[in-house]
Amino acid sequence: MTDLVITRVFDAPRELVYRAFVDPDQLAAWFGPVGWSVPRDSIDIDPRPGGRQKFTMVNDADPSMSSPVNATFVEVVENELLVGEEDVRHIPDFGADTLRMRIEFFDEEGGRTRLVLTQSPFPAAMAGGAREGWGSSFTKLDKILG
């Protein structure tokens, strides 16, 4: 097990990048790697401690392939921090009961935002695919922020 840490700088102010994670319409527009999408009607987000983040990623080529997310926010600081936990016991290969995701938003020069995403504990064997998936999703996010 490892910590999966991904850092990305977006050419948009911190408030806009944060909102892309908590606004259902925006999340539906970018979340999921290329070839996957998140139907707007599957999204339920309540960004506060104890609030839920539920949605389903669906494979564009084969809609019978899906990946539901059902997490609980444990820490939220508007425009600065989102921390959520998800029960992953239903994924046998995961090797942990709970996956914790921490997303930090930092101001960068020129009105840009540095995002630091940490998922842990994360199976080392799955880290490469997850890193690639997040990179693909963030490329889609770049387009809607631009």
Side-chain angles (χ1 to χ4, degrees), residues 9-137:
V9 175
F10 294 96
D11 193 14
R14 191 165 37 111
E15 297 77 16
L16 293 182
V17 179
Y18 175 88
R19 193 163 54 232
F21 280 83
V22 298
D23 177 84
D25 293 330
Q26 290 188 53
L27 193 74
W30 71 269
F31 197 90
V34 170
W36 292 77
S37 54
V38 176
R40 171 61 183 86
D41 63 0
S42 78
I43 301 173
D44 180 16
I45 298 178
D46 182 8
R48 62 179 176 80
R52 314 266 327 140
Q53 179 189 47
K54 292 176 74 171
F55 58 85
T56 302
M57 285 191 302
V58 178
N59 185 282
D60 297 338
D62 181 1
S64 70
M65 290 177 56
S66 64
S67 178
V69 171
N70 185 1
T72 302
F73 288 110
V74 294
E75 198 175 345
V76 176
V77 179
E78 188 173 1
N79 300 323
E80 292 180 19
L81 178 67
L82 292 168
V83 180
E85 292 182 346
E86 183 175 11
D87 183 334
V88 291
R89 286 179 286 200
H90 62 284
I91 306 171
D93 294 342
F94 214 87
D97 290 345
T98 303
L99 174 64
R100 185 176 183 93
M101 183 163 67
R102 178 181 184 90
I103 305 171
E104 299 170 273
F105 304 84
F106 300 97
D107 288 327
E108 288 287 315
E109 286 187 27
R112 299 183 317 153
T113 302
R114 179 172 39 94
L115 179 144
V116 179
L117 178 146
T118 306
Q119 287 182 299
S120 65
F122 208 88
M126 294 181 174
R131 186 174 301 281
E132 191 176 303
W134 277 113
S136 180
S137 289

